[in-house]
Amino acid sequence: MKKPKELRVVTWNINSVRLRIAQLAQVAAELAPDIVCLQETKVEDRHFPHAAVAELGFAHRLVRGIKGYNGVAILSRLPLVPLKSKDWCGKADGRHAAAKIDCGGAEIEIQNFYVPAGGDIPDPEENDKFAHKLAFLDEMADWSGARRSRPVILVGDLNVAPLETDVWSHAALLKVVSHTPVEVARLTGIMEARPWVDAVRHFVPEPERLYTWWSYRASDWAASDRGRRLDHVWVTPELKAKLRHAQVLRQARDWSRPSDHVPVMVTLDLRA
C-alpha cells in the first residue's frame, strides 16, 4: 500500500446519521477527511445508510448502533480492521467503536467514544445517569492506563468540557453537568493515565475560548455564544510530532437542520 502523506480525522456527534446525511456530505466536501468518527448515529446497524455513505467516498465502515439513540460509527477511505469494542459499564448501548488502519506500513488505532451525557443533576446519589457517567469515565481511566503496542487516536463526544475556557462561563457552569469538578477530575485522570496529548488544544492555546457544542435552546446561538467544548481528539505521545492542523467547523452549527455539535478535525503529517 502506498503511504499517504497525511491523515485527516474528523469527530462529530451527528445527532442522527439518517436525518443528517446531507450535512455529512457537506463535511466530506469541505474538510475532505480520510476518517470520520460519528457519535449518536441513532440507528440499528441493519438500517445504517451504507450506500449513501459509500457514495461520499467512505468505502470502509464500522458501525455499532442501537435503535433510536446512542450509536457510533467509523467511516474511512482507508481499509479498517475492527478491534474489540467494549460494552462499558456492562451496557450494550453503542458507545464505543475501535479499529486500526494501515497508513502504508504504520498501524494506527482509532478509538471512537460517546460518553454518557449524565442527566441534569450532578449528584450520583440522586441521579442514576450521572452515576453511570462517572462509572464510564472510571472504566475509561483503567482502559487508558493499559499498555498498547501501536499509536492511538482517541476521538469522540466525551461530554466533559475540562478547561475554564472550554465553557462560556466557568463560574456559571461549575454546578452544571459537563463542567463539574468531579467530571473534570475524571477526564484529567483518563488523560494522565496514558498520557494523552489534547490535539486541538495543541494548536489553540488554553487562554483562547473554544467550543464545539451550542444548545438548541438558544434563540440565536451565535449571538449568545454560550458554548462548551465537549468533542475531543487526543493522540498518544508518539503522534504529537505528526500533528499539523486542527479545525472546528463552527459554521456547521448554522447549516440547515444542524446538529447541536459541530465537526472537529485534526490533521497528521504521516511523513514526520
Side-chain angles (χ1 to χ4, degrees):
M1 174 183 173
K2 184 179 179 181
K3 184 176 181 178
K5 294 180 180 180
E6 66 178 23
L7 182 69
R8 296 184 176 191
V9 180
V10 165
T11 183
W12 186 26
N13 180 321
I14 195 169
N15 194 12
S16 177
V17 65
R18 290 187 292 181
L19 183 63
R20 295 188 170 84
I21 196 69
Q23 290 86 341
L24 180 59
Q26 285 183 266
V27 171
E30 294 196 21
L31 298 180
D34 301 290
I35 296 173
V36 177
C37 294
L38 300 177
Q39 304 86 40
E40 220 173 339
T41 54
K42 294 185 176 180
V43 61
E44 293 176 281
D45 293 351
R46 63 195 179 102
H47 295 310
F48 190 88
H50 285 285
V53 171
E55 288 182 2
L56 300 179
F58 302 107
H60 309 278
R61 298 169 298 280
L62 174 62
V63 300
R64 294 193 79 212
I66 56 179
K67 185 177 181 178
Y69 63 102
N70 296 354
V72 290
I74 301 175
L75 318 177
S76 179
R77 301 183 191 279
L78 302 170
L80 292 174
V81 177
L83 299 173
K84 183 178 180 181
S85 300
K86 288 189 61 176
D87 289 328
W88 302 79
C89 302
K91 297 177 182 288
D93 55 357
R95 293 187 177 275
H96 178 229
K100 66 180 180 180
I101 57 172
D102 183 349
C103 296
E107 289 186 343
I108 297 177
E109 274 187 32
I110 306 294
Q111 299 280 348
N112 181 16
F113 284 90
Y114 177 39
V115 172
D120 296 324
I121 303 171
D123 185 335
E125 299 297 325
E126 296 183 26
N127 178 5
D128 289 342
K129 292 181 179 179
F130 194 68
H132 177 210
K133 181 176 190 174
L134 297 184
F136 194 105
L137 292 170
D138 285 340
E139 286 194 11
M140 281 187 70
D142 291 340
W143 169 88
S144 177
R147 296 181 63 183
R148 283 173 294 281
S149 60
R150 65 179 70 89
V152 185
I153 302 172
L154 183 156
V155 306
D157 177 2
L158 304 186
N159 263 314
V160 181
L163 304 178
E164 292 188 17
T165 50
D166 287 340
V167 294
W168 66 272
S169 171
H170 171 64
L173 271 69
L174 273 172
K175 295 183 180 180
V176 175
V177 173
S178 78
H179 190 61
T180 65
V182 66
E183 294 168 274
V184 170
R186 292 299 208 285
L187 197 72
T188 301
I190 296 168
M191 292 198 74
E192 293 176 348
R194 176 71 176 174
W196 296 91
V197 176
D198 185 335
V200 180
R201 281 297 186 185
H202 179 75
F203 297 99
V204 184
E206 183 176 336
E208 186 173 336
R209 294 195 177 276
L210 183 62
Y211 313 141
T212 65
W213 173 92
W214 294 263
S215 174
Y216 285 131
R217 296 175 183 176
S219 57
D220 187 333
W221 73 273
S224 62
D225 202 22
R226 294 191 171 192
R228 307 177 203 176
R229 184 173 73 113
L230 304 180
D231 306 273
H232 299 263
V233 181
W234 300 349
V235 300
T236 45
E238 62 267 43
L239 292 177
K240 182 177 180 179
K242 297 182 182 296
L243 293 172
R244 288 296 176 267
H245 180 67
Q247 181 177 352
V248 175
L249 196 65
R250 180 184 170 103
Q251 61 266 34
R253 187 61 180 80
D254 250 346
W255 289 350
S256 174
R257 303 178 77 181
S259 171
D260 46 357
H261 297 252
V262 299
V264 178
M265 184 172 77
V266 166
T267 302
L268 295 90
D269 185 346
L270 299 178
R271 301 166 296 182

